[in-house]
Amino acid sequence: MLILGIETSCDDTAAALLEVKNGRFKLLKHLTASQVKLHGKYQGVVPEVAARAHLETIIPVLTEVLKSPPLRGGARGGARWKKPDTIAVTAGPGLITSLLIGVETAKALSFAWNVPLIKTNHIEGHIYSPLLSSVGARHALPLQIKFPAIALIVSGGHTELILIKNHGQYKLLGRTRDDAAGECFDKAGKMLGLPFPGGPEISKRGAKGNPLAYDLPRPMLHEGFEFSFSGMKNAIRLLIEELKNNVILEGGRRPTDRIHLQNTGSYRSAIAPLQDDTNDLCASIEHAIVDVLVQKSLKAVAKHKPKTFILAGGVAANQKLRQSLAAALPKTTRFLLPEPEFCMDNAAMIAVAGYFQAKKKKFVKYDKLKADANWELV
Ligand code: KG4
Ligand code: ZN
C-alpha cells in the first residue's frame, strides 16, 4: 500500500509518501516547509499568514514529494508521478484556515486520481510518530505498540495524557486546562527576547544554566491528570519583570516567594543585569515544565500500568524530557518516542495514522470530507 500523507494543521506545509508491506513501514520521501521565519517576527503563529503560506507552498511540496525518485518501473528516463493507493490528510484539530488548504488539496487529488481519502486526526498522527524511521529505512521488525498504552502528547497547542486500549480506542486521562507546555516555552522565550519558537532556544540556553537557580511553581501537581501552564507562564513573567526592574534587593527583601535563589538561600543582587541570568532562567523554566510533565506521567503509569508509554509532539524533541522519562519509567514499560525529525508536525506521521484507518477500511469520499478545527480524538 502506498499512502500519501498531507499535513497543514498549523504552520508547517508537509507531504510524505509511505509504503507499507507486510505491516512494515518504509518512508519513501517526506518534506516539510516550515513557516517559522514568517511567524518569527510576530513571536507566534498568525492564522492568516499561515494560510496564505500554505496556499503558496502546498503544490511545490507535493510536487517534490511525488516526483522523484521514480518508485515503480515504467518511467522512460527521469522522474514520474506516482499515484498513491490512498491519501491521508489532517482534518483537525488545528487552525481552520490552515486545515482547509490541506483538506481541499487532498480532495482535489482524490477526485483527479480516483483514490479514496482518509480523514486523519492530528493528535493520532503524533501518537503514531514513534513508529517511523528515517527515509528509506525499514525496521527489522515491525515496531509495535503493546496495549494498553499511555501517550503524553506535548506540543504548542496540546498537552494531554491519553490511555490507549487498542488501535483507535482512546480515553482522555487529563489535559491542560489552559495553555499547552509548548506555549509556555514559546511565551517564556518571547519574554526573554529569544527567537521563535522558544522551546528549542530555552533548551539550548538552559543546557548552560543552573536548573535550580529559580524556584518556579508546579501548578496542579497533585490534582489528578490535568495540567495548567498559564499560572507558570505568569510566574515566569513576574520573575522576568522583577529581574529587569532590579527590584530584588540583597539582604532579605523578597518581592515574591518565587524568586529567591534556591541553591544559595540568598537573594539576587539588585545590580545583577538580566543578561547574566538568561541561561539560569532558561534552565529553571525547562526544569519546571519537564518536572510537571514527568511527575504527571509517572502518576498515570502507576495507576494504569501500561505496557507502552508514548511521548510525542513538538516538545518531545526536548532532550531533558526524553532523558527524564527514560530514567523514571518502570523498566517493564516500553518507552516509544519519535526520532527528533518526527517530533514536530510532519506528514509522515499522518500517513502512518492513516494506514491504521485504511486497515479498517475507514475511507471517506472527497465530497464528504470536511476540515474540523475542534476535532477531539477522545
Ligand atoms: O507539534 P508541533 O510542531 O506543533 C504543534 O502542534 O503545536 O510543536 C511545536 C512546539 C513549539 O511550542 C516548540 O517550542 C516546541 O514544540 N518545541 C520544543 C522543543 N522543540 C520544539 N520545546 C521544548 N524543547 C524543544 N527542544
Ligand atoms: Zn502537532
Side-chain angles (χ1 to χ4, degrees):
M1 188 189 294
L2 188 62
I3 305 174
L4 171 65
I6 299 179
E7 154 69 41
T8 64
S9 67
C10 189
D11 61 340
D12 291 300
T13 320
L17 261 186
L18 180 80
E19 191 182 59
V20 190
K21 263 190 203 159
N22 305 323
R24 290 179 193 194
F25 302 122
K26 187 174 179 187
L27 184 60
L28 301 177
K29 192 148 183 166
H30 85 114
L31 195 63
T32 304
S34 166
Q35 301 174 8
V36 146
K37 284 204 180 116
L38 273 182
H39 301 287
K41 61 178 173 225
Y42 309 105
Q43 291 276 330
V45 177
V46 182
E48 165 75 14
V49 174
R52 282 178 185 221
H54 282 310
L55 204 50
E56 284 170 12
T57 326
I58 186 87
I59 301 297
V61 166
L62 276 166
T63 308
E64 193 57 35
V65 164
L66 289 164
K67 79 173 185 202
S68 64
L71 304 168
R72 286 174 193 153
R76 255 179 286 138
R80 61 165 239 181
W81 290 68
K82 285 286 109 197
K83 183 171 132 174
D85 301 300
T86 182
I87 304 167
V89 60
T90 306
L95 300 170
I96 190 66
T97 40
S98 289
L99 288 164
L100 277 170
I101 313 291
V103 167
E104 294 305 313
T105 306
K107 283 158 78 169
L109 288 173
S110 160
F111 174 75
W113 289 337
N114 192 25
V115 296
L117 286 168
I118 299 164
K119 179 181 175 183
T120 310
N121 184 290
H122 181 80
I123 300 299
E124 193 164 53
H126 278 303
I127 287 174
Y128 282 111
S129 62
L131 301 190
L132 283 160
S133 42
S134 305
V135 170
R138 209 189 282 272
H139 287 296
L141 288 170
L143 251 185
Q144 278 176 1
I145 301 172
K146 293 205 165 146
F147 298 105
I150 286 181
L152 172 67
I153 308 298
V154 255
S155 70
H158 301 271
T159 303
E160 31 206 74
L161 274 165
I162 300 170
L163 178 65
I164 315 171
K165 289 177 201 148
N166 210 326
H167 292 291
Q169 291 176 27
Y170 303 107
K171 184 173 177 244
L172 181 69
L173 296 178
R175 63 157 57 113
T176 180
R177 284 193 178 180
D178 37 62
D179 296 330
E183 154 88 8
C184 191
F185 269 117
D186 294 342
K187 285 286 148 47
K190 182 177 177 176
M191 292 185 257
L192 287 167
L194 302 177
F196 175 80
E201 284 296 321
I202 287 185
S203 187
K204 209 158 68 188
R205 282 168 181 266
K208 294 181 230 146
N210 172 10
L212 301 178
Y214 297 101
D215 186 14
L216 286 158
R218 276 44 168 179
M220 297 185 67
L221 197 56
H222 304 293
E223 292 162 60
F225 300 123
E226 285 193 306
F227 301 86
S228 167
F229 285 101
S230 81
M232 193 188 286
K233 209 168 80 178
N234 202 34
I236 295 167
R237 185 180 61 77
L238 288 174
L239 174 56
I240 293 170
E241 272 173 19
E242 278 157 349
L243 287 172
K244 267 187 187 159
N245 296 332
N246 288 334
V247 292
I248 310 157
L249 302 172
E250 202 138 23
R253 194 176 144 204
R254 189 168 155 168
T256 77
D257 283 336
R258 289 179 294 277
I259 52 179
H260 70 276
L261 295 176
Q262 257 195 349
N263 50 345
T264 62
S266 66
Y267 300 99
R268 177 143 312 257
S269 157
I271 41 164
L274 182 62
Q275 301 86 283
D276 291 353
D277 294 330
T278 305
N279 292 346
D280 282 353
L281 269 167
C282 287
S284 305
I285 292 166
E286 182 181 47
H287 183 56
I289 298 174
V290 168
D291 194 22
V292 172
L293 294 171
V294 171
Q295 292 210 41
K296 291 266 176 180
S297 300
L298 294 181
K299 237 164 108 176
V301 167
K303 180 160 179 202
H304 295 280
K305 305 193 171 37
K307 293 202 174 113
T308 311
F309 186 89
I310 297 167
L311 169 68
V315 181
N318 185 280
Q319 286 302 330
K320 285 267 155 59
L321 179 58
R322 294 165 84 95
Q323 287 158 5
S324 307
L325 273 171
L329 283 167
K331 297 291 161 262
T332 46
T333 307
R334 178 183 223 173
F335 184 30
L336 288 184
L337 71 180
E339 299 287 331
E341 80 176 294
F342 300 119
C343 289
M344 304 294 272
D345 290 350
N346 65 86
M349 67 183 196
I350 300 302
V352 177
Y355 165 72
F356 288 98
Q357 300 286 332
K359 260 177 76 167
K360 292 189 237 157
K361 308 242 174 307
K362 286 196 168 176
F363 297 110
V364 195
K365 248 195 109 198
Y366 64 86
D367 54 350
K368 293 279 184 299
L369 181 62
K370 277 203 168 82
D372 180 355
N374 302 313
W375 182 12
E376 300 266 2
L377 181 63
V378 276

